[in-house]
């Protein structure tokens, strides 16, 4: 399940960056909100999947609370999921 979590983490991180650095400027600078709707929906689904998988992995892998909270908080910080992947899942 760790491999699948890593994949979702990568996709969630990319979707957050696309939302912040592509879709939001397109909406507010060029008045094209369609990108926020599309990328925002994808990001929302990936975010929910990321959190659910984090909960499942916490139970299965017996993560401590500090690691679990750090992994969950990283999902809302730009580049956070990439940091988590390097720190905790480099060899997984």
């Amino acid at each position: 399940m760790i491999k699948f979590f890593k994949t979702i983490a990568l996709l969630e991180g990319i979707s957050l960056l696309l939302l912040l650095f592509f879709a939001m400027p397109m909406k507010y600078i060029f008045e094209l909100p369609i990108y926020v709707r599309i990328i925002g929906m994808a990001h929302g689904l990936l975010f929910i999947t990321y959190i659910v998988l984090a909960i499942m992995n916490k139970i299965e892998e017996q993560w401590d609370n500090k690691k679990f909270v750090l992994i969950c908080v990283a999902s809302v910080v730009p580049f956070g999921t990439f940091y988590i992947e390097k720190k905790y899942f480099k060899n997984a």
Side-chain angles (χ1 to χ4, degrees):
M1 184 174 315
I2 294 292
K3 272 190 162 182
F4 184 59
F5 181 73
K6 284 177 59 173
T7 302
I8 293 298
L10 174 68
L11 294 173
E12 196 277 335
I14 291 170
S15 72
L16 177 61
L17 294 177
L18 285 173
L19 186 62
L20 294 176
F21 298 114
F22 175 73
M24 296 300 282
M26 293 301 284
K27 178 179 180 178
Y28 292 109
I29 296 171
F30 300 108
E31 298 179 10
L32 295 169
I34 189 69
Y35 294 108
V36 172
R37 288 187 195 127
I38 295 168
I39 296 171
M41 176 62 77
H43 172 68
L45 293 172
L46 288 165
F47 174 77
I48 291 168
T49 305
Y50 179 90
I51 296 299
V52 168
L53 287 173
I55 292 167
M56 292 171 66
N57 277 315
K58 180 188 185 329
I59 294 165
E60 186 176 301
E61 302 289 327
Q62 298 178 342
W63 293 344
D64 60 20
N65 287 333
K66 180 182 175 186
K67 180 177 181 178
F68 174 70
V69 169
L70 183 62
I71 286 170
C72 288
V73 169
S75 67
V76 296
V77 177
F79 302 101
T81 58
F82 306 124
Y83 169 77
I84 291 300
E85 196 276 327
K86 289 285 186 196
K87 182 171 180 164
Y88 291 112
F89 306 113
K90 177 174 36 177
N91 298 324

